[in-house]
Every structure is written in structure tokens, then in C-alpha cells.
């Protein structure tokens, strides 16, 4: 048995999410199907994060175990050939120690959320960014975001479907920066609650439009109540960037 | 009559090209149809460049004349609303002098060609870049590209369908730069021949793979013969960046 560590890029638009679902296509299912065709074995894929429908991946880490002898390069090439035409690509494949676990060994997760701040609809990036027509004050968003950094009970920013044991998480980074019409939010933590990044970005968008103050954002956090959430951002702009081990 | 200058972004994937065609959808037709719905008038759109099928636009300049009174802002909003779901967006709209002509007043045209240099297939950027699996030497490509800069007979890099009166053009800039797996080619000139950028990029890709030397590229130019062309790059990676006036 050899454990392989994969680095996966995917376009979330056609998928119901990363995780295998009964009712529609998933990234996990696409890769497991390709792996079965490549090796003849029924494999289970484990990933650093389980992204929602419509959320994208730039370099998701995952692992799987294969019994038959195959080199990492040949496995990667076979998976990429068999994954077509699904918008999923294996960027890297390497042997990993038997105790490596893409989910449980992960020490840090990084997301980026792309906002395009303009009146005109999106063309090339439709489904790959959140278009916000009203002008956003990115500096105010960044300043307010710092009120969420640190160890907190993030119940307000947690989906009702979240399976995490505790709502207490440590947010290491939440940066907002503007480059022309692009406003980019970068979030890093050891782990996130379900919908946490999208919920934080949604509320930051309210701050950026002047509808919420930094104190309103802090108040929403301290309410520890999903009903205090201002807005959940759409999945379109969210990308899982990478996992640290 | 008011002349309006439009700045247009479009995703070329679903179109047969910018110019109105008998056999399929075009960007020009989409905008003219929206303009007719917005104004009740049959308008003709003129553009700085006529891009091929599958080629994209970041900020194409175009103009049209409208008889009825309408503000630039209202025209832009109406066009964007009526263009949906086509991936065409009017980024800016302003009144222009009657002697402004998007094509004939244009003093400079800028293109970018995006190459992604990796083995893995594309996901988010499928159709928006040219994936080249073999390693490319971007520095060698840049050095060779300088042999094409200047005033030359570009017959080798000209499509058989080119309608330009003369094959002699002045290429002001042809830069190649790498950023990680991305190799970006930037081309600027007062005007280009049909297929010129794609033909130059195709031959630069041969240089990047070590199949052609800089002398081979120069020899192809000097041959003034389409048969000397090494490779025509696919439309996927080509973007019309902007026009100067």
C-alpha cells in the first residue's frame, strides 16, 4: 500500500461541493472515479477542506491509498487524463508517509475571496468572483476585519449544518486589500467553521458599503447568534488556496 | 445625434468573433441587438479591433451613434441589462466628438497572450489561456521576440484572410515574462495584421521549447512567406487589452 498526496485545482461551478453527495456531482467523486479507472481499486479520498457547492480550489491537498505499484508521476498523468472533461486537475502527486492525513495532519488553511467592485456584470470571471456594484471602502473593511482576528466563539458566522465540535476557533489572518476594481479578502486559520469565510466576507461587504461599522461587526461576533449575521457571501468568489502541514 | 464611446469587456468563448457573422453569434451583433432594444434604433457598432473566434476583450473601445436623447450612464446600464446572459459587459460609456472613430482614430493597440506552462490541464482558465506542457524558457522567448520589434514586412505572420493593404507594420513592443507557471506575452503596435499576434506567439513557443533559435525566428520573418510560419497559437490565450487614441 502506498499513500499518495495530491495537490488539486478545481473549478467549483459544476459541482455540488468537494464532498461526495447523493444528489449531484462532487470533486471527490470525480477523483475517486478516475482513481478507480486508473488503478482498478476502490479508493477513498481525504481532503484538507470540504468546500461547498460553487466554491473553488487553487491547491487543495488530498490523499488516497493505492495497493498496486504505480509511480506518483504515472498516477498524476492517469488521473488528469481520466478526469477530462471535468474541470479538476492534479497539479502535483507525491508519495506520503502512512501517517500523513490530508485532513487531520493539516496545521493551517488559507482561503482567498475575490470581489469585483464595479457596476458592470462579470464576463470571464462569472462564477469566479462576487460582483458588488456599490462602492466599497476596502480600508474600512480591513480595519474592521481585525476585530475578528484571534480566538473567538464564531457561532454568528457558522452555518446551521456545521459539524465542528466547538464554535471556538482562532482566526490568524483576515486581510482586505484593493487593487483597482478588485477587492481581495485573505483568511487563514488552523481550521474554519462551515460557512465561516463566506459569512465574514458578507459582513465585511456591509462594512465596505457603510451599512455596518466596525463596532457592528464586533457586536455581531459577540452576539454568538446566527441571527446576528448580516449577510452570507455567495460561493462564487471563494477559493481554497492551500493547506499547511 | 450623439456619438457614444464604449469600453467593452467580453469572454470570446461563445462567439464566432467580434465582427457580425452570418453563421453564428458575435460580440458586435450582441451589442447592436441590445442597443436596438435600448433605443429603438438600428445602430452600427465600430470597434478598435476585430477579434477572432475565441479571442477575448478586456477593454475594447467601440462607438455607436444614437438619435434619441439618452445619458451615457443610462445607455450603459440599459446595454448591460439587455446583454445578459451574454458574457459581454460595458465597463464605461461616454459622449464622444462626432469625428471620433473607434477604428480609424485609434493610435495604438495592446494585446496580452496568456500561456500557462504546466503539465496539468486547465480548470478555471480553460479557454482563457494556452496550456503548454513542455517547459518554456521565457528569457529565450523574450530575447528572440526583440528580433521582431520594429518596422517589418510581417507576411509570414499574416493570415491568408488578412484584409490589410500592406503587410508592413511597426511592432512597438513584444515582451515575454514569467511569473510562476504563467508566461505572459505583451504586444503593442499601431495596428496588427490578421493573426499576427497568435502567429508570433506560436513561433515564440517553439523558441521557448528550444525547437527554434532566435535566428530561426528572424529567418521566418525575413522569408516573408506564410509557409515559413512555425505555429499559430490558439485563440484561447489572446486578450485585446486596450486601444489608445
Amino acid at each position: 500500500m502506498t499513500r499518495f498526496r495530491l495537490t488539486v485545482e478545481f473549478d467549483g461551478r459544476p459541482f455540488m461541493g468537494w464532498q461526495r453527495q447523493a444528489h449531484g456531482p462532487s470533486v471527490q467523486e470525480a477523483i475517486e472515479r478516475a482513481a478507480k479507472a486508473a488503478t482498478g481499486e476502490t479508493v477513498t479520498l481525504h481532503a484538507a477542506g470540504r468546500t461547498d457547492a460553487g466554491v473553488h480550489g487553487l491547491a487543495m491537498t488530498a490523499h488516497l491509498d493505492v495497493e498496486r505499484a504505480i509511480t506518483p508521476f504515472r498516477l498524476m498523468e492517469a488521473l488528469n487524463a481520466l478526469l477530462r472533461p471535468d474541470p479538476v486537475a492534479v497539479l502535483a502527486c507525491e508519495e506520503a508517509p502512512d501517517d500523513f492525513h490530508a485532513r487531520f495532519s493539516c496545521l493551517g488553511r488559507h482561503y482567498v475571496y475575490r470581489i469585483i467592485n464595479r457596476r458592470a456584470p462579470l464576463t470571464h470571471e462569472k462564477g469566479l468572483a462576487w460582483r458588488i456594484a456599490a462602492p466599497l471602502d476596502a480600508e474600512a473593511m480591513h480595519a474592521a476585519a481585525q476585530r475578528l482576528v484571534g480566538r473567538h466563539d464564531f457561532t454568528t458566522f457558522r452555518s446551521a449544518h456545521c459539524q465542528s465540535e466547538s464554535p471556538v476557533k482562532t482566526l490568524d489572518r483576515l486581510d482586505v486589500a484593493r487593487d483597482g476594481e478588485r477587492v481581495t479578502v485573505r483568511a487563514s486559520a488552523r481550521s474554519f467553521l462551515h460557512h465561516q469565510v463566506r459569512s465574514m466576507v458578507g459582513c465585511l461587504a456591509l462594512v465596505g458599503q457603510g451599512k455596518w461599522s466596525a463596532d457592528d461587526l464586533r457586536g455581531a461576533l459577540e452576539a454568538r447568534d446566527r441571527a446576528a449575521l448580516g449577510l452570507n457571501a455567495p460561493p462564487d468568489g471563494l477559493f481554497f488556496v492551500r493547506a499547511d502541514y
Side-chain angles (χ1 to χ4, degrees), chain A:
Chain A
M1 188 282 286
T2 306
R3 181 155 292 183
F4 291 98
R5 173 177 167 167
L6 307 180
T7 305
V8 180
E9 180 187 279
F10 61 94
D11 182 334
R13 284 175 286 189
F15 297 107
M16 301 299 298
W18 174 278
Q19 201 166 18
R20 192 178 264 279
Q21 311 258 348
H23 58 293
S26 64
V27 182
Q28 182 185 0
E29 182 209 1
I31 299 175
E32 287 176 351
R33 191 183 342 110
K36 173 144 196 185
T39 66
E41 300 170 29
T42 300
V43 304
T44 302
L45 195 69
H46 300 271
R50 287 167 296 174
T51 53
D52 284 327
V55 175
H56 318 286
L58 296 178
M60 175 67 81
T61 300
H63 81 263
L64 54 81
D65 294 333
V66 176
E67 294 295 334
R68 68 168 271 215
I70 186 167
T71 67
F73 182 77
R74 285 201 51 210
L75 178 60
M76 178 176 74
E77 295 284 286
L79 291 175
N80 281 333
L82 292 160
L83 278 162
R84 293 169 200 243
D86 284 327
V88 179
V90 180
L91 304 183
C93 176
E94 57 192 314
E95 287 190 27
D98 288 358
D99 63 351
F100 172 81
H101 195 288
R103 180 174 173 199
F104 299 118
S105 307
C106 182
L107 300 177
R109 292 166 170 91
H110 306 275
Y111 283 92
V112 64
Y113 195 100
R114 297 181 186 165
I115 297 169
I116 297 184
N117 189 203
R118 70 181 198 190
R119 289 198 68 81
L122 302 183
T123 67
H124 314 96
E125 295 186 275
K126 193 172 177 181
L128 297 173
W130 183 18
R131 196 247 334 188
I132 299 181
L136 294 175
D137 180 340
E139 288 181 23
M141 292 167 71
H142 180 75
Q146 305 323 303
R147 309 284 291 270
L148 299 182
V149 172
R151 182 174 166 83
H152 303 291
D153 179 332
F154 282 98
T155 295
T156 301
F157 302 94
R158 178 187 198 179
S159 144
H161 302 105
C162 182
Q163 293 171 12
S164 178
E165 284 179 23
S166 163
V168 177
K169 295 286 177 189
T170 300
L171 180 63
D172 295 321
R173 178 189 186 191
L174 189 63
D175 289 345
V176 184
R178 176 183 285 277
D179 178 15
E181 68 182 18
R182 295 173 177 277
V183 175
T184 303
V185 184
R186 294 185 179 278
S188 300
R190 182 172 183 123
S191 62
F192 289 93
L193 299 168
H194 188 222
H195 277 189
Q196 186 181 342
V197 179
R198 287 169 56 190
S199 296
M200 294 190 302
V201 170
C203 294
L204 288 174
L206 295 179
V207 172
Q209 292 171 62
K211 295 177 180 173
W212 270 25
S213 67
D215 284 345
D216 291 334
L217 183 69
R218 180 73 190 194
L221 173 70
E222 290 173 354
R224 298 183 188 82
D225 179 359
R226 184 73 178 165
L229 180 72
L231 187 63
N232 196 32
D236 310 46
L238 187 59
F239 291 73
F240 185 97
V241 175
R242 70 171 200 280
D244 298 332
Y245 294 91

